[in-house]
Amino acid sequence: MNIREKFGRAAAVDGLPIALALIVVIAYFSIASPFFMTGENIRNLLMQSIFTILLAAGMTFVLISGGIDLSVGSATGLSAAVTLLVLMNGGTLAAGIAAGVATGAAIGAINGFFIAVLGINAFIVTLASLSIGAGALQVLTSEVQLTGVDSPGFAALTKASILGIPAGLWVTLAIVAILEWILLATPLGRGFFAMGTNRQAAFLAGTNVRRLELGVYLISGTVAGTAGVLLASHLNSVQPGLGQGYEFTAIAAAVLGGIALFGGRGSVWRSVVGALFLATLSQGLQLTGVDPLWFNIVTGTSIVAAVALDRGVQHFVIGRLTSPPKQGTRSGPPPEGPATGAESDEEASVPVSTLSAARNV
Amino acid sequence: MSHNVVDTETETNAAGPVLIEARALGKTYPGVVALENVSLTLRAGQIHALLGENGAGKSTLIGLLSGTKKPDSGELLVDGEVRQFTNPKQAQELGISTIYQEQTLAPDLTVTQNVFFGRELKKGKFLLDELAMRRRVEELSGEFGLSPSDLDRAVGTLGALKQHVVQILKALAFDARVVILDEPTSGLEDDERQMLFEHMARLRDRGVALLWVTHRLDEIFGLADVITVLRDSRWIASVDPAGHTPDSLVRLMVGRKQLATEYDQVHAHRERGQGQGSGEEHLRLESVTRYPLVRDVSLTVIKGEILGIAGIAGAGRTELARIILGADRPDSGKVFIEGRPVSLASPREAAKRGISLVPEERKTQSILGTMSIAKNISISDLSRVTRMHAVLDRRKENGIARSYINDLGIKARDAQQKIVNLSGGNQQKAIVARCLFNNPSLLIFDEPTQGVDVAAKAEIYRLIYDFVDGGGAAIVISSELPELLSLSDRIVVMREGRLVGEVAGVGRQGNERSESESAELIMSMAARNTGLLVDNTLKEGVA
């Protein structure tokens, strides 16, 4: 029983299914295309996925605490624009980076204020700031041409090679590690889990849910700002519409990683695996010559399939663990009594997640 | 008590034919008997009142009659035929309508739309027949005090009484012959209540059978034709109100039950330990008001004391607890801790001042379901399971959890087990551990033994006693009067947001009453004297 449960936990909770799905996809494309498993391609793939990885890591915090942040895409675009604007107007490298990160943080703080302090629904608030951020980017890019700067230091932020790996990847890796540490090892992270699991209970037990909620959007915005700085360094130009749709890719990645949309479950690395899965799929489809018209359909379908696999495995394992077969009585649904349905929240999250993900990736 | 019990079968006073007959209905949930061998007869043109304490089985009985629950034993006859409802729709089709305490109307739809909600009249297959629906509602509504202009208003903008009327119309529009009213007068002002009674009398005149669940004993006289009393999930009596007074009904509701022997030992222990507290005041409330659920409440809790709070559901007990915990802000009034005035803005602040709550609804308000026992305990003060105030120290956290698991006798595999997988009683003990970890000086227990099995109950009592014997102060809110009476040193009674009386606990100084006498006293304070006299015209209708 004990060993079975340990195995069950590993298979059900720790994002193993999505990791397996990633391996399967990598294996398939490695066989299907001779160009897939080359150093050059892997480097490109990873460099293109760092923005999704970062946003998905930030989104993990929001989702675990039971919220949603739709503004991260436009926050990323706007932060990238602000960074370039500062650098093009003679700002130092540090000032440019700080301005970009601060832009994201400011958007996060505003979101947090409306959601945590005024108690407005997170979906509505962040939908509005998505729109405002994207609009601000359009206004900004219509006033100034953000065509880039000739700053080797800024370009090096993502492109410099350290031990054969681009600097952008190192930066992403460091941020992801810090975020995972905050989530799993600090009281702050524990608070996010508690709040997402049962907000009312956490509140009555003396957790400062309002401050935690503010914190979660601040983290998400700051991470988006950082992603914007890296994106500006990577592209060295900003067009209107930059970052559009990133929020949905981030949500899709987190959901693929098994993060419950209703909160309380997940970890950063699992979202990162989800982001890598999406990036690998898109890269692989290009390399194998699939008509780009079909990309969205294939991606959407695979998201549903991966999530279904993940939840299917969980339900199977948890069903085995929580209801020993000896209990054969078929009396009606047990009311008020001791709760057993541990995963019911997550069940409910599946349709929503797959819908939004399939629509926008 | 048997001399005034009237068997409804033999009763013949002007009532119509039997519409519903429940025979020996029973319902059992795992570990809990919700209803046992309950029989009931509903006749056309009769108002049948259903009485009982919280948890006496009234809701279960309604559930069985309205088809939302299935009986495990006994049978239900409608018009003399045995019926088995598998869903509420079947009951509705036989003319049984239920009007629940909580509103089940769609607040943004109009009266007409609500009346026909889900059962709209149609022209052909797809088109709604607005005109026919409107006409049908108009036909019925005038009599019940709804003007034609009300019919097009959103239900949410109508008052509580009119919303009740909409529910009544909803029943009548589909020729309901049996209407079940679950505490219809809660939330109504006195004059509105009066109007509702007139509507009920009108329904009776139409030949409808009414089953009326209520907590207010004074309301019943003059309106109810038969009164059935449930207690401890059992049928106690079906009586004619003519031979009864509110006092005699209270006696039927409370009964003369003895303390369950398994608790005796625990309580005996308490009597020895009694009086170890310093006797100093710990918490004092002065005229605390949070309208409308808490009104002008003043009370004091002494160190080493257990203060019980009694009252029927909705009397404002939980709301008062939330104010003391800082979860809700009072509109006015003062809170003192150890003689000093304090303003508690959040449970976090209350926790810093040593106040913790074991909430009422375990599933929705206390457990962090998918998290481990250890995490559920440490959440009340994470700063004490960290290294350098920054990093969680899992080993320390688990060690603390293990010591609580041992001390409180929590039956769990290990500290890592998810709390949802524990039984109700063990979940509750883990929540008590969470509160104790916060080093409280005042613990509030809201229905601490709800959904907890008998053995665990005694253990939870022991935890409460240990806490106050260690110098702490405790407030216990409970709907189980025997529990409250034996546990508390003093009991205050709340009704409609106010404190209406105080009774000493059984066996405590200054209380010469027996348990049942005290219980009757509390029940009559909690349920009576609502300041309402039933209108005389209605009384004539009965005679």
Side-chain angles (χ1 to χ4, degrees):
Chain A
M1 183 68 189
N2 219 336
I3 294 164
R4 215 168 62 136
E5 181 153 344
K6 280 209 171 112
F7 167 77
R9 271 193 198 163
V13 182
D14 285 338
L16 216 63
I18 183 64
L20 288 174
L22 177 63
I23 291 168
V24 168
V25 171
I26 291 172
Y28 172 77
F29 286 124
S30 306
I31 297 162
S33 163
F35 307 109
F36 187 82
M37 261 303 173
T38 60
E40 182 65 13
N41 183 57
I42 297 295
R43 197 173 302 128
N44 278 342
L45 190 161
L46 290 175
M47 269 313 289
Q48 277 163 24
S49 62
I50 62 172
F51 313 106
T52 313
I53 288 177
L54 285 174
L55 294 185
M59 191 64 74
T60 306
F61 279 71
V62 182
L63 294 180
I64 282 175
S65 72
I68 187 91
D69 189 349
L70 301 177
S71 71
V72 292
S74 68
T76 303
L78 197 60
S79 301
V82 170
T83 303
L84 274 191
L85 193 67
V86 170
L87 292 175
M88 284 166 66
N89 286 302
T92 62
L93 183 59
I97 294 172
V101 174
T103 304
I107 293 173
I110 293 168
N111 284 337
F113 173 77
F114 280 98
I115 296 164
V117 180
L118 299 185
I120 305 174
N121 180 287
F123 190 95
I124 292 165
V125 170
T126 59
L127 186 65
S129 47
L130 176 159
S131 182
I132 295 168
L137 180 61
Q138 274 177 336
V139 172
L140 194 66
T141 45
S142 72
E143 301 283 331
V144 233
Q145 290 286 313
L146 295 173
T147 45
V149 286
D150 185 21
S151 162
F154 186 56
L157 204 55
T158 46
K159 298 189 179 80
S161 179
I162 303 166
L163 302 176
I165 293 170
L169 268 177
W170 285 113
V171 175
T172 304
L173 198 66
I175 294 173
V176 163
I178 292 169
L179 289 175
E180 185 79 305
W181 177 78
I182 292 175
L183 188 65
L184 299 181
T186 68
L188 188 68
R190 179 66 63 77
F192 294 145
F193 275 105
M195 181 178 151
T197 303
N198 188 339
R199 188 188 172 106
Q200 182 69 6
F203 171 66
L204 291 177
T207 307
N208 195 337
V209 287
R210 194 176 279 187
R211 198 182 337 164
L212 283 174
E213 194 162 43
L214 203 73
V216 100
Y217 290 96
L218 198 58
I219 288 174
S220 173
T222 309
V223 171
T226 312
V229 172
L230 294 178
L231 193 59
S233 159
H234 184 63
L235 299 173
N236 201 21
S237 81
V238 171
Q239 306 296 324
L242 183 69
Q244 218 171 43
Y246 281 25
E247 60 279 354
F248 290 110
T249 317
I251 294 169
V255 168
L256 277 171
I259 317 298
L261 269 193
F262 280 78
R265 214 189 90 199
S267 63
V268 173
W269 78 264
R270 285 155 61 184
S271 297
V272 171
V273 173
L276 285 173
F277 175 84
L278 288 176
T280 307
L281 197 64
S282 115
Q283 186 88 345
L285 289 173
Q286 283 174 39
L287 282 178
T288 48
V290 173
D291 185 343
L293 287 175
W294 285 86
F295 280 16
N296 281 348
I297 294 172
V298 174
T299 312
T301 311
S302 51
I303 288 172
V304 177
V307 171
L309 174 75
D310 183 30
R311 303 300 146 90
V313 168
Q314 273 187 41
H315 278 245
F316 179 74
V317 174
I318 287 167
R320 280 292 169 89
L321 291 177
T322 50
S323 62
K326 61 182 175 185
Q327 235 178 2
T329 45
R330 292 181 118 255
S331 60
E336 298 110 0
T340 47
E343 308 297 322
S344 58
D345 279 0
E346 282 122 49
E347 257 176 88
S349 74
V350 176
V352 187
S353 62
T354 47
L355 257 185
S356 62
R359 189 157 56 90
N360 293 286
V361 174
Chain B
M1 89 173 98
S2 60
H3 68 277
N4 51 19
V5 173
V6 179
D7 186 358
T8 47
E9 292 293 332
T10 60
E11 194 193 27
T12 51
N13 66 349
V18 173
L19 297 182
I20 290 190
E21 191 183 347
R23 285 185 188 159
L25 289 180
K27 176 82 187 167
T28 309
Y29 295 120
V32 191
V33 177
L35 205 66
E36 197 179 334
N37 198 15
V38 169
S39 301
L40 185 83
T41 307
L42 297 183
R43 289 167 184 275
Q46 201 178 49
I47 296 180
H48 195 131
L50 184 62
L51 288 180
E53 286 184 82
N54 294 343
K58 293 170 300 189
S59 307
T60 307
L61 181 58
I62 293 175
L64 298 181
L65 296 180
S66 62
T68 58
K69 292 175 180 146
K70 276 187 262 184
D72 301 328
S73 58
E75 52 190 16
L76 187 64
L77 283 74
V78 181
D79 299 323
E81 269 178 64
V82 176
R83 298 282 182 171
Q84 278 174 329
F85 298 140
T86 52
N87 61 54
K89 192 149 185 167
Q90 294 173 341
Q92 282 168 15
E93 278 162 5
L94 288 169
I96 302 169
S97 260
T98 309
I99 298 177
Y100 291 99
Q101 199 177 344
E102 328 78 76
Q103 294 291 344
T104 49
L105 299 169
D108 295 324
L109 297 184
T110 66
V111 171
T112 311
Q113 284 167 338
N114 261 292
V115 168
F116 288 93
F117 189 72
R119 298 178 290 180
E120 288 84 357
L121 302 181
K122 288 179 190 141
K123 270 189 294 211
K125 242 192 151 88
F126 302 106
L127 291 176
L128 294 178
D129 193 346
E130 304 275 4
L131 206 66
M133 288 193 276
R134 166 94 195 186
R135 222 179 286 134
R136 181 92 178 102
V137 176
E138 269 176 15
E139 252 169 53
L140 297 165
S141 62
E143 203 181 334
F144 290 94
L146 280 185
S147 67
S149 69
D150 283 338
L151 301 187
D152 299 319
R153 284 176 60 189
V155 158
T157 65
L158 300 173
L161 173 69
K162 286 188 174 174
Q163 294 194 0
H164 272 298
V165 169
V166 175
Q167 302 228 41
I168 291 173
L169 294 184
K170 208 171 156 174
L172 289 180
F174 294 93
D175 302 314
R177 300 175 302 143
V178 179
V179 173
I180 301 171
L181 296 151
D182 188 3
E183 292 196 51
T185 57
S186 61
L188 293 187
E189 298 297 330
D190 285 354
D191 52 335
E192 292 181 322
R193 233 175 262 163
Q194 224 33 260
M195 304 271 281
L196 185 72
F197 295 149
E198 287 169 26
H199 295 332
M200 287 166 64
R202 221 165 266 135
L203 285 175
R204 170 173 58 191
D205 295 343
R206 284 169 171 261
V208 171
L210 287 103
L211 181 65
W212 175 25
V213 178
T214 181
H215 264 124
R216 296 164 187 262
L217 299 176
D218 290 0
E219 293 178 350
I220 290 177
F221 294 94
L223 197 55
D225 303 304
V226 188
I227 300 170
T228 290
V229 179
L230 299 183
R231 186 207 310 153
D232 293 341
S233 313
R234 292 198 188 88
W235 178 88
I236 296 302
S238 289
V239 299
D240 182 345
H244 275 268
T245 62
D247 282 327
S248 65
L249 288 177
V250 163
R251 225 166 291 137
L252 287 179
M253 285 163 71
V254 173
R256 298 192 178 274
K257 52 194 163 188
Q258 291 301 309
L259 263 183
T261 46
E262 57 263 43
Y263 306 146
D264 284 351
Q265 231 179 335
V266 187
H267 293 312
H269 163 78
R270 166 63 184 166
E271 273 144 35
R272 281 200 305 278
Q274 209 178 347
Q276 286 180 358
S278 58
E280 288 163 34
E281 163 190 311
H282 184 267
L283 173 87
R284 177 155 49 95
L285 304 183
E286 273 182 14
S287 302
V288 168
T289 296
R290 183 181 160 89
Y291 197 80
L293 288 162
V294 176
R295 308 181 193 194
D296 195 23
V297 170
S298 301
L299 58 78
T300 307
V301 188
I302 293 164
K303 287 177 187 166
E305 174 191 57
I306 301 174
L307 176 73
I309 303 182
I312 60 174
R317 297 169 300 169
T318 298
E319 290 74 15
L320 182 64
R322 284 180 62 95
I323 291 174
I324 298 171
L325 189 74
D328 289 325
R329 276 290 195 45
D331 301 331
S332 62
K334 293 196 186 99
V335 179
F336 298 85
I337 293 175
E338 293 179 334
R340 258 168 274 135
V342 290
S343 162
L344 301 170
S346 69
R348 174 82 253 153
E349 277 183 29
K352 283 180 189 154
R353 294 181 187 276
I355 302 174
S356 282
L357 168 77
V358 177
E360 178 181 15
E361 287 272 328
R362 235 182 342 270
K363 200 172 173 188
T364 58
Q365 299 189 353
S366 54
I367 63 166
L368 301 168
T370 49
M371 294 170 74
S372 68
I373 300 168
K375 290 177 182 175
N376 266 281
I377 292 173
S378 64
I379 192 69
S380 65
D381 191 359
L382 285 172
S383 67
R384 280 178 39 225
V385 289
T386 52
R387 277 188 299 256
M388 297 171 296
H389 291 283
V391 190
L392 290 172
D393 186 341
R394 295 281 174 85
R395 188 171 295 172
K396 196 169 171 186
E397 183 178 41
N398 287 332
I400 288 167
R402 272 195 299 274
S403 67
Y404 276 116
I405 288 173
N406 284 333
D407 292 353
L408 306 191
I410 299 170
K411 286 178 198 70
R413 198 188 53 233
D414 57 42
Q416 294 310 311
Q417 195 174 356
K418 282 187 188 175
I419 194 167
V420 277
N421 295 332
L422 301 182
S423 72
N426 285 305
Q427 285 181 6
Q428 192 72 308
K429 282 189 251 174
I431 299 302
V432 174
R434 169 198 290 173
C435 292
L436 292 176
F437 179 56
N438 197 33
N439 283 329
S441 49
L442 172 66
L443 264 182
I444 308 170
F445 296 85
D446 195 352
E447 303 287 358
T449 59
Q450 207 172 55
V452 164
D453 61 71
V454 173
K457 271 186 187 178
E459 291 178 39
I460 287 168
Y461 298 151
R462 182 178 59 86
L463 295 181
I464 300 176
Y465 289 146
D466 287 350
F467 174 68
V468 294
D469 289 345
I475 294 176
V476 177
I477 297 169
S478 174
S479 294
E480 282 189 41
L481 279 182
E483 166 177 300
L484 207 56
L485 280 165
S486 49
L487 201 56
S488 314
D489 298 312
R490 281 188 300 140
I491 298 156
V492 291
V493 184
M494 283 188 82
R495 187 183 65 229
E496 295 175 350
R498 296 176 197 281
L499 288 193
V500 292
E502 185 176 321
V503 177
V506 170
R508 305 308 197 278
Q509 242 181 356
N511 187 7
E512 304 303 318
R513 294 182 198 92
S514 70
E515 189 199 315
S516 56
E517 283 166 345
S518 299
E520 281 169 22
L521 186 61
I522 288 173
M523 268 311 283
S524 61
M525 286 195 271
R528 285 189 55 204
N529 306 325
T530 52
L532 175 83
L533 292 168
V534 175
D535 195 53
N536 283 329
T537 53
L538 291 172
K539 279 188 175 163
E540 286 162 19
V542 181

